Amino acid sequence: MTVVQNMETDRVVYTTCMCNCGSNHECVLKAHVREGRVVAVEPDDRYNTGIGREDEVLSERELIQTKLQRRPCTKGMVFHKYLYHPDRLLYPLRRAPNSSRGEGRFVRISWDEALNTIASKLTEAREKYGPCSVITPYMPNASLERLFSFWGAGVDSWGWCSWDATRLMVHMVAGTEGWACAQHASGSPSDMLAHSKLIVIWGFDPAMGSSGPGYQFAWFLKLARERGKKVIIFDPRYTVGAEVLADQWIPIRPGTDHAMFLAMAYVLFTEELWDKAFVDRYVEPNGFEVWKNYVLGIEDGVAKTPEWAERECAVPARTIHELARLVATERPAWLNCHWGVSRKSHGEETVRAFAGLQAILGYWGTPGAPARPSL
C-alpha cells in the first residue's frame, strides 16, 4: 500500500471490475493512471476510509443499505494486467495460409476484411444449409437476434453455462420467462443480516466465491454469527468457509441434493409444519397436489422419507429430520441452493424440488429468505 501511495501518477480513476463472475460489475476499483496506463490498483475507499471494521462506525440503517467499500476479490485486483498482456488479441486475425486448425498460426487482417469475411460466410451458410443453420452462441443476445430478424435467418441457442437449471425451473414453476429468473433474486446479504434467523447453504464456499463484491457475503456471514444467527453449510468438501464461517458443516454425496430436499418436504408435510396459508394463496393447487402425493409416496409407492434420502445422499436421517424442523421454526431461514448443486444431469429437477420446498415454507418473496430458490 505504501508503494501505491508514493507512486507518481497522473490521476486516480474509480472504475469497476470486468470479470464475468456474476456480480454485474458491483466491485469498485481505485485505479492509478500514469501516461494513460493503469500502473496500480487499490480497493474502493470512498466509504469509511481507513476504517478496519466498517460495521463499528455505521448505523444499522447504513449497514442494511450496504454503504460499504465495494472491494473486489483477487481476480479483480489483477484484472488490469490483461490490458497489457502480450498475448491479448488487439486486431482481427486469420489462420495463416497452408496451416491447420490448432497450429496457432495466424496473420493480421484489416477490420474491413474481417467483417466482409464474416458476412460472406453467414450468407454462404444460409444459402447452402437454410435460414436455421446460423445459431446465436452461448446465450440470448438481443442485438444479434434483432440483426438476424432483419436478415431473415438465425436461431437462438439453448442453455446457459451458469444457472440454466434455474432458468428452466423458473419457467416451469414460477410461470415467467426463463431468462427473467434474475427478477426473482434477492440474495442480498444485508437482507439476510437484517431479517434472517438461520442461514443454510448448499454447494457454495462463501470464503472463496467471488460473486461480488469480493468476499462481502462472507463478511456478512461473520456479522450474522456475531449476532447469534446459526450458519450451516452442506458441501462434499471441508472448505475454508465450512471451517471459519459455519457453526455446522454437513458433508453430502455430490449430486444427491434433490433427495434431501424431497425428504425435508416429507417432514414438513407429515409433521404439519408447512405454510398452508401461503400455499393456498400463491401456489397452483393441482400441481401442488401432484407434487405432494409424489413426496408422500402416494403416486409411486415410495415415500421420500429422511431414511430413504439417507441411502441416497449419505446425510443421516436424523439430521434431515432436525433440519426440516429447524428451517420451519427458526423463521425466516435464509436457504441458499447455489449453482453448483444443479450443474448435473436433470439439474432442473433439483432446483425444482428446492423451489417447492421454499414454497411450502412460505419463503418466496419473504424478507430474510432469498426471493428466488437458487442464488
Side-chain angles (χ1 to χ4, degrees):
M1 188 66 71
T2 303
V3 175
V4 173
Q5 291 175 344
N6 294 337
M7 183 177 294
E8 294 183 3
T9 57
D10 299 333
R11 58 196 176 105
V12 172
V13 178
Y14 287 90
T15 184
T16 59
C17 175
M18 297 302 292
C19 291
N20 181 19
C21 73
S23 69
N24 298 317
H25 315 307
E26 294 177 5
C27 300
V28 177
L29 298 171
K30 181 181 179 182
H32 295 257
V33 181
R34 183 173 60 202
E35 298 179 356
R37 185 184 181 97
V38 178
V39 294
V41 168
E42 290 184 278
D44 179 25
D45 63 355
R46 297 167 305 154
Y47 289 113
N48 316 312
T49 304
I51 302 297
R53 282 289 301 263
E54 294 179 84
D55 59 303
E56 295 180 347
V57 301
L58 294 177
S59 67
E60 187 73 8
R61 181 178 179 83
E62 289 172 326
L63 185 61
I64 299 307
Q65 292 175 335
T66 60
K67 291 185 175 180
L68 305 165
Q69 297 176 16
R70 316 297 285 185
R71 301 188 178 197
C73 69
T74 306
K75 289 186 294 185
M77 294 295 291
V78 300
F79 194 72
H80 65 287
K81 296 182 182 296
Y82 282 98
L83 288 172
Y84 316 111
H85 196 282
D87 293 334
R88 182 187 174 191
L89 294 180
L90 301 176
Y91 311 101
L93 301 175
R94 190 170 190 167
R95 189 180 301 140
N98 302 318
S99 67
S100 301
R101 181 188 295 269
E103 286 188 39
R105 296 169 53 200
F106 296 93
V107 293
R108 180 177 171 179
I109 60 176
S110 68
W111 286 103
D112 285 342
E113 183 180 355
L115 294 172
N116 289 333
T117 299
I118 294 171
S120 64
K121 288 294 184 181
L122 286 171
T123 302
E124 178 185 340
R126 176 184 172 178
E127 294 175 350
K128 192 172 182 178
Y129 303 107
C132 294
S133 62
V134 181
I135 191 170
T136 305
Y138 178 56
M139 58 182 291
N141 183 317
S143 299
L144 186 57
E145 289 161 10
R146 182 169 176 79
L147 171 63
F148 283 170
S149 70
F150 289 135
W151 187 47
V155 294
D156 193 5
S157 58
W158 179 260
W160 193 19
C161 69
S162 293
W163 53 20
D164 198 53
T166 302
R167 177 185 69 85
L168 291 170
M169 179 281 305
V170 167
H171 185 65
M172 294 186 294
V173 175
T176 63
E177 294 180 1
W179 292 109
C181 56
Q183 298 175 7
H184 298 274
S186 171
S188 166
S190 58
D191 173 46
M192 175 197 71
L193 186 65
H195 302 110
S196 303
K197 301 298 189 296
L198 171 72
I199 299 103
V200 187
I201 300 169
W202 281 268
F204 172 47
D205 181 3
M208 299 300 292
S210 58
S211 188
Y215 309 110
Q216 189 187 82
F217 179 53
W219 184 66
F220 270 97
L221 283 178
K222 288 289 288 184
L223 295 183
R225 291 190 68 198
E226 290 176 5
R227 298 182 179 201
K229 304 173 192 284
K230 301 299 182 184
V231 177
I232 301 172
I233 292 180
F234 283 86
D235 201 308
R237 310 159 301 162
Y238 185 62
T239 62
V240 174
E243 181 175 2
V244 303
L245 294 174
D247 294 279
Q248 184 177 11
W249 166 65
I250 303 175
I252 185 171
R253 184 176 292 142
T256 63
D257 307 84
H258 186 188
M260 181 177 187
F261 299 148
L262 293 175
M264 291 176 66
Y266 179 92
V267 175
L268 297 176
F269 283 136
T270 56
E271 298 189 7
E272 298 293 328
L273 295 173
W274 55 292
D275 191 334
K276 300 180 180 63
F278 183 92
V279 171
D280 289 342
R281 183 171 183 178
Y282 296 109
V283 179
E284 191 274 316
N286 294 328
F288 169 74
E289 284 300 321
V290 170
W291 188 67
K292 181 181 179 183
N293 290 339
Y294 174 72
V295 170
L296 296 178
I298 297 174
E299 176 184 324
D300 59 1
V302 180
K304 311 309 182 288
T305 65
E307 289 73 22
W308 166 84
E310 179 178 349
R311 295 191 295 272
E312 299 289 328
C313 61
V315 176
R318 178 180 176 183
T319 299
I320 299 175
H321 274 288
E322 293 180 353
L323 179 65
R325 295 164 185 153
L326 193 63
V327 300
T329 55
E330 296 290 323
R331 303 179 61 87
W334 202 89
L335 309 181
N336 183 339
C337 173
H338 207 262
W339 302 350
V341 170
S342 55
R343 283 175 170 161
K344 57 181 290 293
S345 176
H346 303 292
E348 65 276 7
E349 294 299 335
T350 301
V351 190
R352 188 180 177 192
F354 192 72
L357 179 64
Q358 293 280 66
I360 65 174
L361 285 165
Y363 283 170
W364 275 68
T366 302
R372 78 165 177 234
S374 180
L375 181 64

